Amino acid sequence: MGSGKRAVAGVINLGQGQHSHLFSVRETELKLAFSAYVAALVAAHAVAPGSLTWVIAFFSLAAMLFTYPLAALRQRTFTLECGISLGLLSMGLAGLVISPLAIIAAIALHGAWDIAKHRGAGEPFFSWYCIGCAAVDFVYAAALTTYYFAV
């Protein structure tokens, strides 16, 4: 297959590459969950006091880190996906203790991982999800950076 996509035997072809994970048959639910996540992210920051900004950002980071390892269950990429998620989660924890800039960096790095996944790294995943998640991550990291330097 071209454009960095891998062909995997015995998987469902969903028209956007090859996928053989839990979400292969639950794409509609994944779209709804993604939309709910973005809406909850905006709502949480809109209604919570500024003192909770970094706690919300950490839990938002934690929420975004489960999808790819879950998709990689029982796959050869599971260790890679978990390692990246645990590394970014550790950065987020450091951000709560040391500096919120670590949370911002972890969110931006997750966006970079989304782009790498779109280009074929790690467990194959829906292109729309990788690009959408990267966009949310980069905009969120930029908004948090602006907030950090404004406060």
Side-chain angles (χ1 to χ4, degrees), residues 36-99:
Y37 168 82
V38 174
L41 179 66
V42 172
H45 282 290
V47 300
S51 61
L52 293 178
T53 297
W54 305 114
V55 173
I56 294 168
F58 170 76
F59 282 107
S60 298
L61 171 66
M64 71 177 70
L65 294 175
F66 84 93
T67 307
Y68 296 146
L70 189 57
L73 277 175
R74 297 183 299 278
Q75 305 294 329
R76 63 178 176 73
T77 55
F78 181 70
T79 303
L80 171 66
E81 297 288 358
C82 283
I84 289 171
S85 288
L86 289 173
L88 295 175
L89 187 64
S90 297
M91 285 180 70
L93 283 170
L96 288 176
V97 177
I98 300 168
S99 170

Side-chain angles (χ1 to χ4, degrees), residues 82-150:
C82 283
I84 289 171
S85 288
L86 289 173
L88 295 175
L89 187 64
S90 297
M91 285 180 70
L93 283 170
L96 288 176
V97 177
I98 300 168
S99 170
L101 289 173
I103 297 173
I104 296 169
I107 292 169
L109 286 170
H110 187 266
W113 179 236
D114 293 325
I115 298 297
K117 289 186 69 60
H118 173 69
R119 298 184 51 79
E123 184 64 22
F125 210 74
F126 301 105
S127 180
W128 67 262
Y129 184 92
C130 296
I131 296 302
C133 190
V136 169
D137 293 346
F138 293 141
V139 169
Y140 189 35
L144 289 171
T145 301
T146 301
Y147 177 79
Y148 177 81
F149 287 110

Side-chain angles (χ1 to χ4, degrees), residues 22-42:
L22 167 73
F23 300 110
S24 298
V25 294
R26 304 233 184 269
E27 186 175 10
T28 300
E29 290 90 338
L30 182 62
K31 288 178 180 177
L32 290 172
F34 181 79
S35 299
Y37 168 82
V38 174
L41 179 66
V42 172

